[in-house]
Amino acid sequence: VSPADHAGPLPWRLIRVGHQQLGSNVIDACPAAAGGQLLRHAHGNGAPVCLGLGLGLASVAIVLDGSGRVLMTRRAAEMRTFPRAWVMPGGRADASDRSLSMTAQRELLEETGLRPDQMTAVSNGALCIWESCFPVRQDEWEQACASGRRTAHILTCFFAFRCHTSSPPLALQPSECDAAVWVPLDSFRSKESEVGESSIASQLSSRDALSGASVSEHGKISFERASGSAASSPISAALLQGVYPNRAGEGIGRGHLWALRRLASQVQC
């Protein structure tokens, strides 16, 4: 997960890994691990079995602008998985990618038009890694495997970048995302050790965190759409509230929210 163009060997360091089953015994709760145990028992002879679970690699770009705000995009409603979820740009690694960092930069360019020369890396290597499975529940995973339906087991590496300017214009890929906003990174500073259902709106109560947001006369918080996105009304902060899917069918992807809190605890904006 280190940059391919880094001069010389990188020092060894630990990278925090999160899992969608936070707070659980991951070995027992992870659908992929549980499915593997079921397949082993199915043979009946107790012999080790090479399962070939197809672990995939993906990368996400966490982009900060010059004002310390993070770029959030909303997945298009037509997407097969996680439609209308608020996430950072990213996707699966291609064989042509020289590194996972370059995967993140390629996906960022494809989805938003932001180029690598418009930003610098916040640090060498990945910020953190998130392990996830689809379907997310063990019983649904077992049913999907039994019926031959699609399953996915993915490690997603998060890389942080900082733009040279504030609010750089975007060119959104409509098939990937239909809206984008810049949200103050300070709004993700949380004392919670695990991902919870806490509201962005409640975390935006401080004057510093409100930078880049607007408040109506009724106290409702909203974000202006990012420059270059389709013109429309501001995005209500309530749509980004909590983990996807919230009551409005939106919210922030669990792994993405976890990574944002990791970055917010480390970076001074």
Coordinates of all heavy atoms in Angstrom, one line a residue, residues 162-218:
R162 N -4.4 16.6 -0.1 CA -4.8 18.0 0.2 C -4.7 18.8 -1.1 O -3.6 18.9 -1.7 CB -4.0 18.6 1.3 CG -4.5 20.0 1.8 CD -3.6 20.6 2.8 NE -3.6 19.9 4.1 CZ -4.5 20.0 5.0 NH1 -5.5 20.9 4.9 NH2 -4.4 19.3 6.2
C163 N -5.8 19.5 -1.5 CA -5.7 20.3 -2.7 C -4.9 21.6 -2.4 O -4.9 22.1 -1.3 CB -7.2 20.7 -3.1 SG -8.1 19.3 -3.8
H164 N -4.4 22.2 -3.5 CA -3.6 23.4 -3.3 C -4.5 24.6 -3.2 O -4.1 25.7 -2.7 CB -2.7 23.6 -4.6 CG -1.8 22.5 -4.8 ND1 -1.3 22.1 -6.1 CD2 -1.2 21.6 -3.9 CE1 -0.5 21.0 -5.9 NE2 -0.5 20.7 -4.7
T165 N -5.8 24.5 -3.5 CA -6.7 25.6 -3.4 C -8.0 25.2 -2.7 O -8.2 24.0 -2.5 CB -7.1 26.1 -4.8 OG1 -7.7 25.1 -5.6 CG2 -5.9 26.6 -5.6
S166 N -8.8 26.2 -2.4 CA -10.1 25.9 -1.8 C -11.2 25.7 -2.9 O -11.2 26.5 -3.9 CB -10.5 27.1 -0.9 OG -9.7 27.2 0.2
S167 N -12.1 24.8 -2.7 CA -13.2 24.5 -3.6 C -12.8 24.4 -5.1 O -13.3 25.2 -5.9 CB -14.3 25.6 -3.4 OG -14.7 25.6 -2.1
P168 N -11.8 23.6 -5.4 CA -11.5 23.4 -6.9 C -12.7 23.0 -7.6 O -13.5 22.2 -7.1 CB -10.4 22.4 -6.9 CG -10.6 21.6 -5.6 CD -11.1 22.6 -4.6
P169 N -12.9 23.4 -8.9 CA -14.1 23.0 -9.7 C -14.0 21.5 -10.0 O -12.9 21.0 -10.2 CB -14.0 23.9 -10.9 CG -12.5 24.3 -11.0 CD -12.1 24.4 -9.6
L170 N -15.2 20.9 -10.0 CA -15.3 19.5 -10.3 C -16.0 19.2 -11.6 O -16.7 20.1 -12.2 CB -16.1 18.8 -9.2 CG -15.7 19.0 -7.7 CD1 -16.6 18.3 -6.8 CD2 -14.2 18.6 -7.5
A171 N -15.8 18.0 -12.2 CA -16.5 17.6 -13.3 C -17.0 16.2 -13.0 O -16.3 15.2 -13.3 CB -15.6 17.5 -14.6
L172 N -18.2 16.1 -12.4 CA -18.7 14.9 -11.8 C -19.1 13.9 -13.0 O -19.6 14.3 -14.0 CB -19.9 15.1 -10.9 CG -19.7 15.9 -9.7 CD1 -20.9 16.0 -8.9 CD2 -18.5 15.4 -8.8
Q173 N -18.8 12.6 -12.8 CA -19.2 11.6 -13.7 C -20.6 11.2 -13.3 O -20.8 10.5 -12.2 CB -18.3 10.4 -13.6 CG -18.7 9.1 -14.3 CD -19.0 9.4 -15.8 OE1 -20.1 9.5 -16.2 NE2 -17.9 9.6 -16.6
P174 N -21.7 11.5 -14.0 CA -23.1 11.3 -13.6 C -23.4 9.9 -13.4 O -24.3 9.6 -12.6 CB -23.9 11.9 -14.7 CG -23.0 12.0 -15.9 CD -21.6 12.2 -15.3
S175 N -22.8 8.9 -14.0 CA -23.1 7.5 -13.8 C -22.5 7.0 -12.5 O -23.0 6.0 -12.0 CB -22.5 6.7 -14.9 OG -21.1 6.8 -15.0
E176 N -21.6 7.8 -11.9 CA -21.0 7.4 -10.6 C -21.6 8.2 -9.4 O -21.9 7.6 -8.4 CB -19.5 7.6 -10.7 CG -18.8 6.8 -11.7 CD -18.5 5.4 -11.2 OE1 -18.7 5.1 -10.0 OE2 -18.1 4.5 -12.0
C177 N -21.7 9.5 -9.6 CA -22.2 10.3 -8.5 C -23.1 11.5 -9.0 O -22.8 12.0 -10.1 CB -21.1 10.9 -7.6 SG -19.7 11.6 -8.6
D178 N -24.1 11.9 -8.3 CA -25.0 12.9 -8.8 C -24.9 14.2 -7.9 O -25.7 15.1 -8.3 CB -26.5 12.4 -8.8 CG -27.0 12.0 -7.4 OD1 -26.3 12.3 -6.4 OD2 -28.1 11.4 -7.3
A179 N -24.1 14.2 -6.9 CA -24.0 15.4 -6.1 C -22.6 15.4 -5.3 O -22.1 14.3 -5.1 CB -25.1 15.6 -5.1
A180 N -22.1 16.6 -5.0 CA -20.9 16.6 -4.2 C -20.9 17.9 -3.3 O -21.5 18.9 -3.7 CB -19.7 16.7 -5.1
V181 N -20.4 17.8 -2.1 CA -20.3 18.9 -1.2 C -19.0 18.8 -0.5 O -18.3 17.8 -0.4 CB -21.4 18.8 -0.1 CG1 -22.8 19.1 -0.8 CG2 -21.4 17.5 0.6
W182 N -18.5 20.0 0.0 CA -17.3 20.1 0.8 C -17.8 20.2 2.3 O -18.5 21.2 2.6 CB -16.5 21.3 0.4 CG -15.8 21.1 -0.9 CD1 -16.4 21.6 -2.1 CD2 -14.6 20.5 -1.3 NE1 -15.5 21.3 -3.2 CE2 -14.5 20.6 -2.7 CE3 -13.7 19.8 -0.5 CZ2 -13.4 20.0 -3.3 CZ3 -12.6 19.2 -1.2 CH2 -12.4 19.4 -2.6
V183 N -17.4 19.3 3.1 CA -17.8 19.2 4.5 C -16.6 19.5 5.4 O -15.6 18.9 5.2 CB -18.5 17.9 4.9 CG1 -18.9 17.9 6.3 CG2 -19.7 17.6 3.9
P184 N -16.7 20.4 6.4 CA -15.6 20.6 7.3 C -15.1 19.3 8.0 O -16.0 18.6 8.5 CB -16.2 21.6 8.3 CG -17.3 22.3 7.6 CD -17.9 21.3 6.7
L185 N -13.8 19.0 7.9 CA -13.3 17.8 8.5 C -13.6 17.8 10.0 O -13.8 16.8 10.6 CB -11.8 17.7 8.2 CG -11.1 16.4 8.8 CD1 -11.7 15.1 8.1 CD2 -9.6 16.5 8.5
D186 N -13.6 19.0 10.6 CA -13.8 19.1 12.0 C -15.1 18.5 12.5 O -15.3 18.1 13.6 CB -13.8 20.6 12.5 CG -12.4 21.1 12.6 OD1 -11.4 20.3 12.7 OD2 -12.2 22.3 12.7
S187 N -16.1 18.4 11.5 CA -17.4 17.9 11.9 C -17.3 16.4 12.1 O -18.3 15.8 12.6 CB -18.4 18.2 10.8 OG -18.1 17.6 9.6
F188 N -16.2 15.8 11.8 CA -16.1 14.3 12.0 C -15.2 14.0 13.2 O -14.9 12.8 13.5 CB -15.5 13.7 10.8 CG -16.3 13.8 9.5 CD1 -16.1 14.7 8.6 CD2 -17.5 13.0 9.4 CE1 -16.9 14.9 7.4 CE2 -18.3 13.1 8.3 CZ -18.0 14.1 7.3
R189 N -14.8 15.0 14.0 CA -14.1 14.7 15.2 C -15.1 14.2 16.2 O -16.0 14.9 16.6 CB -13.4 16.0 15.7 CG -12.4 16.6 14.7 CD -11.6 17.7 15.4 NE -10.8 18.4 14.4 CZ -9.7 18.0 13.9 NH1 -9.1 16.8 14.4 NH2 -9.0 18.6 13.0
S190 N -14.9 13.0 16.7 CA -15.8 12.3 17.6 C -15.0 11.6 18.6 O -13.9 11.1 18.4 CB -16.7 11.3 16.8 OG -17.5 10.6 17.7
K191 N -15.5 11.6 19.9 CA -14.9 10.9 21.0 C -15.3 9.4 21.0 O -14.7 8.6 21.7 CB -15.3 11.5 22.3 CG -14.9 12.9 22.5 CD -15.3 13.5 23.8 CE -14.8 14.9 24.0 NZ -15.3 15.5 25.3
E192 N -16.2 9.0 20.0 CA -16.6 7.6 20.0 C -15.5 6.8 19.4 O -14.9 7.2 18.4 CB -17.9 7.5 19.2 CG -19.0 8.2 19.7 CD -20.3 8.1 18.8 OE1 -20.2 7.3 17.9 OE2 -21.2 8.9 19.0
S193 N -15.2 5.6 20.0 CA -14.2 4.7 19.4 C -14.7 3.9 18.3 O -13.9 3.3 17.5 CB -13.6 3.8 20.5 OG -14.6 3.0 21.1
E194 N -16.0 3.8 18.2 CA -16.6 3.0 17.1 C -17.6 3.8 16.3 O -18.0 4.8 16.8 CB -17.2 1.7 17.7 CG -16.3 0.8 18.4 CD -17.0 -0.4 19.0 OE1 -18.2 -0.5 18.8 OE2 -16.3 -1.3 19.6
V195 N -17.9 3.3 15.1 CA -18.9 4.0 14.3 C -20.2 3.9 15.0 O -20.7 2.8 15.3 CB -18.9 3.3 12.9 CG1 -20.0 3.9 12.1 CG2 -17.6 3.5 12.2
G196 N -20.9 5.0 15.1 CA -22.2 5.0 15.7 C -23.2 5.8 14.8 O -22.9 6.1 13.7
E197 N -24.3 6.1 15.3 CA -25.4 6.7 14.6 C -25.4 8.2 14.9 O -26.4 8.9 14.7 CB -26.8 6.1 14.9 CG -26.9 4.7 14.6 CD -26.8 4.4 13.1 OE1 -27.1 5.3 12.3 OE2 -26.4 3.3 12.7
S198 N -24.3 8.8 15.3 CA -24.3 10.2 15.7 C -24.5 11.1 14.5 O -24.1 10.7 13.4 CB -22.9 10.6 16.4 OG -21.9 10.3 15.5
S199 N -25.1 12.2 14.7 CA -25.5 13.1 13.7 C -24.4 14.1 13.3 O -23.7 14.7 14.2 CB -26.7 13.9 14.1 OG -26.9 15.0 13.3
I200 N -24.1 14.3 12.0 CA -23.2 15.4 11.6 C -23.8 16.7 12.1 O -23.0 17.6 12.5 CB -23.1 15.4 10.1 CG1 -22.2 14.2 9.7 CG2 -22.4 16.7 9.6 CD1 -21.9 14.2 8.2
A201 N -25.1 16.9 12.0 CA -25.7 18.2 12.4 C -25.4 18.5 13.8 O -25.0 19.6 14.2 CB -27.2 18.1 12.2
S202 N -25.4 17.5 14.7 CA -25.1 17.8 16.1 C -23.6 18.1 16.3 O -23.2 18.9 17.2 CB -25.5 16.6 17.0 OG -24.7 15.5 16.7
Q203 N -22.7 17.5 15.5 CA -21.3 17.8 15.6 C -20.9 19.1 15.0 O -19.8 19.6 15.1 CB -20.5 16.6 14.9 CG -20.7 15.3 15.6 CD -20.0 14.2 14.8 OE1 -19.0 14.4 14.2 NE2 -20.6 13.0 14.8
L204 N -21.8 19.7 14.2 CA -21.5 21.0 13.6 C -22.0 22.2 14.5 O -22.2 23.3 14.0 CB -22.2 21.1 12.2 CG -21.6 20.4 11.1 CD1 -22.5 20.3 9.9 CD2 -20.2 21.0 10.7
S205 N -22.1 22.0 15.7 CA -22.6 23.0 16.6 C -21.6 24.1 16.9 O -22.0 25.2 17.2 CB -23.1 22.4 17.9 OG -22.1 21.7 18.6
S206 N -20.3 23.8 16.8 CA -19.3 24.8 17.2 C -19.1 25.7 16.0 O -19.4 25.4 14.9 CB -18.0 24.1 17.5 OG -17.4 23.6 16.3
R207 N -18.7 27.0 16.3 CA -18.5 28.0 15.3 C -17.5 27.6 14.3 O -17.6 27.8 13.1 CB -18.1 29.3 16.0 CG -18.0 30.5 15.0 CD -17.6 31.8 15.8 NE -18.7 32.1 16.8 CZ -19.8 32.8 16.5 NH1 -20.0 33.2 15.3 NH2 -20.6 33.0 17.5
D208 N -16.4 27.0 14.8 CA -15.3 26.6 13.9 C -15.8 25.5 12.9 O -15.4 25.5 11.7 CB -14.1 26.0 14.7 CG -13.4 27.1 15.5 OD1 -13.5 28.3 15.1 OD2 -12.7 26.7 16.5
A209 N -16.5 24.5 13.4 CA -17.0 23.4 12.5 C -18.0 23.9 11.5 O -18.1 23.3 10.4 CB -17.6 22.3 13.4
L210 N -18.7 25.1 11.8 CA -19.6 25.6 10.8 C -19.0 26.3 9.6 O -19.8 26.7 8.7 CB -20.6 26.6 11.5 CG -21.7 25.9 12.4 CD1 -22.4 26.9 13.2 CD2 -22.7 25.2 11.5
S211 N -17.7 26.4 9.6 CA -17.1 27.0 8.4 C -17.4 26.2 7.1 O -17.2 25.0 7.1 CB -15.6 27.0 8.6 OG -14.9 27.4 7.4
G212 N -18.0 26.9 6.1 CA -18.3 26.2 4.9 C -19.7 25.7 4.9 O -20.2 25.2 3.8
A213 N -20.5 25.9 6.0 CA -21.9 25.5 6.0 C -22.8 26.7 6.2 O -22.3 27.8 6.6 CB -22.1 24.5 7.1
S214 N -24.0 26.6 5.9 CA -25.0 27.6 6.2 C -26.1 27.2 7.1 O -26.4 26.0 7.2 CB -25.6 28.1 4.9 OG -26.3 27.1 4.2
V215 N -26.6 28.1 7.9 CA -27.7 27.8 8.8 C -28.9 28.7 8.5 O -28.8 29.9 8.4 CB -27.2 28.1 10.3 CG1 -28.3 27.6 11.3 CG2 -25.9 27.3 10.5
S216 N -30.1 28.0 8.4 CA -31.3 28.7 8.1 C -31.8 29.4 9.3 O -31.3 29.1 10.4 CB -32.4 27.8 7.5 OG -32.8 26.9 8.5
E217 N -32.9 30.2 9.2 CA -33.4 30.9 10.3 C -34.1 29.9 11.3 O -34.3 30.3 12.5 CB -34.5 31.9 9.9 CG -35.6 31.3 9.0 CD -36.6 32.4 8.6 OE1 -36.7 33.4 9.2 OE2 -37.3 32.2 7.6
H218 N -34.4 28.7 10.8 CA -34.9 27.7 11.7 C -33.9 26.8 12.3 O -34.2 25.7 12.9 CB -36.0 26.9 10.9 CG -37.1 27.7 10.3 ND1 -38.0 28.3 11.1 CD2 -37.3 28.0 9.0 CE1 -38.8 29.0 10.3 NE2 -38.5 28.8 9.0

